[in-house]
Amino acid sequence: MSDRVVLAYSGGLDTSVAISWIAKETGSEVVAVAIDLGQGGEDMSAIRQRALDCGAVEAIVVDARDEFADEYCLPTIQANAMYQGQYPLVSAISRPLIVKHLVEAAKFHNATTVSHGCTGKGNDQVRFEVGIGALAPDLEVIAPVRDYAWTREKAIAFAEENKLPINVTKKSPFSIDQNVWGRAVETGFLEDLWNAPTKDVYDYTADPTVNFEAPDEVIITFEKGVPVAIDGKPVSVLQAIEEMNTRAGRQGVGRLDMVEDRLVGIKSREIYEAPGAIALITAHQALEAVTVERELARYKRQVEQRWGELAYDGLWYSPLKRALDAFMQDTQQNVTGDIRMVLHGGSAVVNGRRSERSLYDFNLATYDEGDTFDQSLAKGFVQIHGLSSKVAARRDLS
């Protein structure tokens, strides 16, 4: 049997051309692996058939929607992970899952090499190759688009010369990556930072002004940091994301327009739509504010930033990320309760919280009758708390 190469297959021009190109250049058989992450669009069976028609000896379609929601999106919710304080890692958290299935397919098919369609300017090449190195250090990697300077024109010419069954006449002005967690849009006229996004940029979200007269109030229930019900109806994590995508998206929630610091050192203008992600993270943060002790919450906010950076930087399978995962999981033991929020005009605003694990004590918090807080203790606390600063000030001002 010939050597085999396992290819991360999207069904698009570059990875379709890669099947035939790899076979011709290396003499290897190509196994195409397509992963369903809830991206919608073209039917996965059609994508599988296209891979076969382009010369793959085997084409595998993996329905990983629940796996993605449970093992990648959920930890992102629990970490309140927002790269640069905004981006809920839409593409970043999908890559390690794709890598996992590439490695599994390589082992099953006795392949020595895996391949991807990433360019040399983006983050995904890092996420793929560092992830592969962490899970299967002996696998080789081929990256045709990056390593052989493919352009769209070269790919089209190769497809035409080799009579590949690919429709290359339609070209989007944007580069788009999407899954159930969100949608990422870049390139085209968006590369001019002064250009505002046009309506055709968006797909997961409606114009925030469209349903302005009809706000949507929703109650999200969590158990130990896991969303388990919406408006009292039990849901899986995937169902929670899907429903909030619909409801928050209808209200224009989750639109992001940001200049992002890529790992490779480039600043890039990105448009994101992540209605379900933003709504669920917002609700989760609000419930943690009620149920997580102050010092733990303070420290967790520092860890959240580092966790998000590791995920963004392609270090999902690193020792530090695994250790931080254990910390995050422990912080969720009391994150149980209900969050009520209003989805309206592009915003998800929390307006109600309740939990049997709440640390909020009404009698300590109230300024009205029934106040049990002993204010006489505060004077000494303030004096001791500021003592070191006061002593230093006496020295420095003398």
Side-chain angles (χ1 to χ4, degrees):
M1 185 175 68
S2 301
D3 288 339
R4 288 191 162 186
V5 175
V6 170
L7 171 68
Y9 186 64
S10 68
L13 173 65
D14 287 336
T15 53
S16 293
V17 168
I19 293 173
S20 179
W21 186 90
I22 291 170
K24 287 179 177 293
E25 291 295 319
T26 69
S28 300
E29 296 178 335
V30 177
V31 177
V33 179
I35 312 294
D36 186 354
L37 300 173
Q39 59 265 39
E42 194 170 18
D43 184 84
M44 295 302 288
S45 62
I47 291 175
R48 179 180 184 277
Q49 187 58 51
R50 183 177 304 125
L52 295 172
D53 293 342
C54 287
V57 297
E58 182 65 71
I60 303 163
V61 171
V62 180
D63 183 351
R65 290 173 295 175
D66 279 300
E67 182 183 9
F68 182 48
D70 292 341
E71 299 181 23
Y72 298 81
C73 299
L74 178 59
T76 305
I77 295 171
Q78 295 178 336
N80 302 318
M82 298 278 203
Y83 182 67
Q84 291 182 215
Q86 300 180 70
Y87 167 47
L89 304 170
V90 167
S91 297
I93 63 171
S94 72
R95 296 339 187 206
L97 174 54
I98 296 172
V99 163
K100 174 187 171 185
H101 285 284
L102 289 177
V103 169
E104 288 177 355
K107 291 178 179 178
F108 183 82
H109 291 279
N110 295 314
T112 58
T113 305
V114 295
S115 182
H116 60 75
C118 303
T119 73
K121 294 178 69 173
N123 300 307
D124 284 338
Q125 59 179 331
V126 181
R127 295 164 183 159
F128 274 105
E129 294 181 33
V130 172
I132 290 165
L135 296 183
D138 294 332
L139 284 175
E140 300 293 327
V141 178
I142 297 176
V145 177
R146 178 192 66 196
D147 298 341
Y148 297 92
W150 278 10
T151 63
R152 179 175 174 81
E153 289 70 26
K154 288 181 180 179
I156 290 173
F158 185 93
E160 291 174 345
E161 289 169 10
N162 292 275
K163 296 181 172 56
L164 299 180
I166 310 168
N167 181 2
V168 296
T169 59
K170 182 180 178 181
K171 182 180 186 301
S172 169
F174 312 115
S175 173
I176 300 171
D177 179 57
Q178 63 189 43
N179 55 56
V180 74
W181 191 235
R183 186 168 179 268
V185 186
E186 62 180 10
T187 72
F189 72 85
L190 296 172
E191 291 177 346
D192 184 333
L193 299 184
W194 194 247
N195 288 337
T198 51
K199 291 181 179 179
D200 59 333
V201 170
Y202 299 106
D203 184 59
Y204 283 15
T205 57
D207 184 328
T209 65
V210 169
N211 292 301
F212 197 78
E213 301 303 321
D216 185 4
E217 188 171 81
V218 60
I219 297 174
I220 303 174
T221 301
F222 291 86
E223 288 184 8
K224 294 188 175 182
V226 180
V228 295
I230 295 179
D231 289 336
K233 178 184 176 182
V235 291
S236 66
V237 178
L238 176 62
Q239 290 169 336
I241 297 168
E242 290 174 333
E243 180 162 350
M244 295 313 299
N245 274 341
T246 299
R247 293 175 65 172
R250 189 184 298 131
Q251 300 291 333
V253 173
R255 289 187 173 188
L256 307 169
D257 181 347
M258 63 183 289
V259 175
E260 180 180 306
D261 287 324
R262 285 186 179 176
L263 177 60
V264 296
I266 299 171
K267 285 188 180 291
S268 174
R269 201 268 188 91
E270 307 284 341
I271 304 296
Y272 292 109
E273 296 180 279
I278 295 300
L280 288 166
I281 290 174
T282 299
H284 181 262
Q285 287 175 318
L287 187 57
E288 281 196 333
V290 174
T291 58
V292 178
E293 182 270 334
R294 186 187 74 158
E295 292 304 317
L296 177 57
R298 281 184 169 182
Y299 193 76
K300 182 174 184 287
R301 283 190 286 273
Q302 298 176 46
V303 177
E304 288 171 357
Q305 179 175 332
R306 191 71 187 102
W307 191 99
E309 291 168 349
L310 291 170
Y312 184 89
D313 291 349
L315 295 170
W316 185 274
Y317 296 114
S318 67
L320 177 56
K321 166 68 167 45
R322 287 197 299 271
L324 296 187
D325 284 340
F327 169 81
M328 289 295 181
Q329 192 61 42
D330 190 71
T331 66
Q332 300 303 293
Q333 297 308 305
N334 294 301
V335 186
T336 295
D338 300 318
I339 293 295
R340 189 179 63 229
M341 64 196 315
V342 175
L343 310 170
H344 181 232
S347 297
V349 179
V350 173
N351 67 0
R353 311 144 179 89
R354 63 187 177 196
S355 171
E356 294 181 355
R357 308 297 296 169
S358 174
L359 295 175
Y360 178 83
D361 187 322
F362 177 86
N363 292 325
L364 287 175
T366 185
Y367 285 87
D368 296 332
E369 187 175 348
D371 182 3
T372 60
F373 185 83
D374 187 349
Q375 297 193 41
S376 67
L377 300 176
K379 182 176 180 179
F381 167 77
V382 173
Q383 291 173 340
I384 293 173
H385 181 68
L387 182 59
S388 63
S389 296
K390 188 174 183 178
V391 170
R394 281 175 176 163
R395 179 201 62 192
D396 296 341
L397 295 174
S398 62

